[in-house]
Amino acid sequence: MVAGGAALVFTGVVAAVPAGAAEGGVSFTRVSVNGGKPIVIGVQEEVEVHAVLRMTTKLRYDYGPTVFPYRGKTDNAETLQSSIITSDCKVVDRVNGICDFDEWLYIDPRNSDFGNEDAGTWRTAARVFLPGDAQDIDDVNLPVQVKRATRVTVDASPEPVAVGKTITVSGRVTRANWDTHTYQGYAGRTVSLQFKASGASSYKTVKTATSSATGALKTTVKAAGPGMWRWTYYGNSTSGAMSSTGDYVATQVRVLHSEVRRVLHSV
């Protein structure tokens, strides 16, 4: 394994290609970052992002290649990684210099340069370092979404409840604040209340609710049977999607007092 990102700085400035650098002679294809899914980042845990790429070149190179999210211009850009590890070449075509690579890119939200402004769409660059401090760096026309993680909680009560009676379902939706490294209430979000009946294989949306100024959620529904209740937030361009865990509510069949008296009288 090669520590291909050792010389890269977190959201720093990528050095411009030096005079006389051998730009060209390298092509990057089949690039994928995080399997095409958004990169969702919390407030404490370093995130590992898997990427793959194919490089074609007959030039000798010192180390790399690497792919990474960037903003700005490729020769003077902000980047988003704290470190990168690149695999050795997996030879596809030795004669034509074609190799496949795996890469592991790490993003640490605790870095002092990382903040809420980093959420959104980034572009992707691929680079390889050549002898004599030269490099080949290209935009690979691949947008990458970087999102703030969300959390959702749920509480359904009473437990148990009679069929047909009212259940109150509450909870809270919060979002990672990369400036303060805490989760804070996410106001004004449309969040789906979902139910999975006992024996069912999937949840179904029952209704939606809007979070309060503190991210609080609360609504009521009629109990139709036993099962799991949860809240699901589907995310947006800067915030990740998330579902709460399920809260199981058992139900009881109501027996009217008049029916009880009728049954006892007939005994």
Side-chain angles (χ1 to χ4, degrees):
M1 309 291 280
V2 180
L8 301 176
V9 295
F10 197 99
T11 60
V13 176
V14 180
V17 178
E23 179 71 14
V26 182
S27 67
F28 303 100
T29 57
R30 300 194 179 188
V31 178
S32 175
V33 177
N34 204 37
K37 298 177 293 186
I39 301 171
V40 180
I41 304 170
V43 298
Q44 294 292 333
E45 298 296 326
E46 183 177 61
V47 174
E48 179 185 86
V49 179
H50 180 240
V52 296
L53 72 151
R54 173 168 291 183
M55 183 176 73
T56 301
T57 185
K58 293 185 179 181
L59 299 176
R60 186 170 66 87
Y61 58 93
D62 284 347
Y63 66 90
T66 60
V67 294
F68 51 90
Y70 82 97
R71 282 176 172 169
K73 297 181 179 180
T74 55
D75 61 353
N76 187 22
E78 288 184 70
T79 64
L80 195 62
Q81 76 284 346
S82 52
S83 62
I84 297 177
I85 296 174
T86 305
S87 72
D88 295 330
C89 162
K90 301 174 184 178
V91 178
V92 176
D93 185 334
R94 188 176 301 276
V95 173
N96 292 301
I98 304 175
C99 286
D100 284 341
F101 296 88
D102 284 285
E103 175 185 292
W104 294 266
L105 180 148
Y106 297 89
I107 303 172
D108 192 338
R110 296 164 294 185
N111 189 287
S112 59
D113 289 334
F114 191 78
N116 292 336
E117 70 277 4
D118 292 316
T121 303
W122 291 68
R123 300 166 72 179
T124 305
R127 172 170 56 187
V128 65
F129 286 90
L130 306 169
D133 294 326
Q135 60 179 301
D136 190 298
I137 180 169
D138 298 327
D139 183 302
V140 295
N141 193 30
L142 180 68
V144 173
Q145 294 293 317
V146 178
K147 299 187 176 185
R148 296 159 65 177
T150 56
R151 289 178 172 176
V152 189
T153 61
V154 66
D155 180 45
S157 62
E159 304 174 47
V161 64
V163 172
K165 286 293 189 178
T166 297
I167 297 174
T168 299
V169 187
S170 57
R172 189 167 184 242
V173 55
T174 57
R175 180 171 64 155
N177 186 322
W178 294 335
D179 295 330
T180 62
H181 307 300
T182 59
Y183 281 87
Q184 297 180 341
Y186 199 11
R189 300 301 98 193
T190 298
V191 185
S192 297
L193 177 64
Q194 299 180 322
F195 178 67
K196 183 172 72 172
S198 293
S201 60
S202 61
Y203 281 89
K204 293 183 178 180
T205 297
V206 175
K207 63 192 302 186
T208 61
T210 301
S211 60
S212 72
T214 61
L217 299 163
K218 189 173 184 178
T219 192
T220 58
V221 290
K222 296 294 185 181
M228 303 285 284
W229 293 92
R230 75 178 185 183
W231 291 104
T232 292
Y233 175 59
Y234 286 101
N236 56 37
S237 61
T238 60
S239 307
M242 179 58 66
S243 293
S244 69
T245 57
D247 188 8
Y248 181 80
V249 176
T251 55
Q252 300 170 325
V253 178
R254 286 192 298 168
V255 179
L256 299 176
H257 292 299
S258 59
E259 181 66 17
V260 172
R261 287 196 299 269
R262 186 189 67 79
V263 172
L264 291 175
H265 182 73
S266 65
V267 174

